[in-house]
Amino acid sequence: YPFPRMADDQSWRAAFPWRGARTVCPVVVGRDRELGGLRRALDAPARGGGTTLVLRGEAGIGKTRLAHEAIAAAKARSMTVLVGRSLQHGQTPYRPLTEALFAAARAGPLPDVAELRPFRHALGTLVPDWRVDDGGGEVSAVVIGEGVLRLARVLGNPAGTLLVVEDLHWSDADTMAVLEYLADNVAAQPVVLLVTVRADENPQANDLVSRLEIRGAAQVVELARL
């Protein structure tokens, strides 16, 4: 049966709309344990605390799908959701954190509350809209991390905040330093930090995850093949 000749790829898509389309199953199969862990983590802010959860596994194992399930569940709880991703090429300092906070910046100016004022310069390192001309110099990962933590608490009031950082294995050293501070200090805040990382890439990222797990600052969920 001869198919009609198509002048371009767009014509093919119009004639055969299913070709090249990505189908996502509406039900997550075989991950009941992992989904239960995500839901328990998202319950922490309602009790006044926070937690760090790391999804680790090989490429294509389902880390991003589980992260999307967590995002949907957080929104159902009326939590504030901030999402950022590291990229394989061009490791811009703080890229996933800047992307995550841009969503807050588009929603309006930095909240003018007393606990954030000392950190305006640090947060301005991540979001140009929030920069202030106060003569401040370079700021450390610790100060940036504390600024992000306090901002997440303010933005998430009263339901809490979910901060998702995808593809830690492609993050720069500055981002990893801030995430380490966040993981070490999030337990007393209504903030959930969710990180995805490949198990077989970037020893520095996996060393960080191991350190956090050893000292009890993060729960690591190893995703095996189904």
Side-chain angles (χ1 to χ4, degrees), residues 13-94:
R13 287 196 297 269
F16 306 106
W18 64 87
R19 290 179 60 88
R22 182 182 179 187
T23 302
V24 178
C25 179
V27 178
V28 179
V29 178
R31 297 295 188 194
D32 292 345
R33 180 179 64 86
E34 291 84 356
L35 289 170
L38 288 172
R39 296 188 187 101
R40 287 190 294 274
L42 293 173
D43 288 339
R47 300 190 296 268
T51 189
T52 298
L53 197 63
V54 179
L55 304 177
R56 181 162 62 181
E58 63 186 62
I61 201 70
K63 301 182 296 296
T64 295
R65 177 61 193 274
L66 286 173
H68 288 173
E69 292 295 317
I71 290 169
K75 290 180 178 178
R77 288 167 166 79
S78 298
M79 296 174 67
T80 296
V81 176
L82 305 172
V83 183
R85 178 189 297 276
S86 299
L87 298 180
Q88 182 175 11
H89 302 292
Q91 292 185 342
T92 304
Y94 307 118

Side-chain angles (χ1 to χ4, degrees), residues 82 92-106 110 119-132 137-152 163 165 172 174-179 182:
L82 305 172
T92 304
Y94 307 118
R95 190 218 185 262
L97 298 171
T98 296
E99 181 182 6
L101 295 188
F102 270 162
R106 286 191 293 269
L110 184 69
F119 297 93
R120 288 188 63 92
H121 183 75
L123 292 170
T125 302
L126 302 178
V127 180
D129 292 354
W130 295 341
R131 286 178 183 163
V132 291
E138 293 296 321
V139 293
S140 69
V142 171
V143 177
I144 293 176
E146 182 64 21
V148 171
L149 188 59
R150 295 193 186 197
L151 177 62
L163 173 58
V165 175
D172 60 287
D174 292 326
T175 296
M176 291 188 200
V178 172
L179 290 178
L182 289 172

Side-chain angles (χ1 to χ4, degrees), residues 193-214:
L193 175 61
L194 178 61
V195 178
T196 70
V197 62
R198 289 185 185 174
D200 54 354
E201 195 166 339
N202 192 339
Q204 289 79 17
N206 281 284
D207 285 347
L208 168 59
V209 172
S210 296
R211 291 198 306 271
L212 294 175
E213 184 177 30
I214 288 171

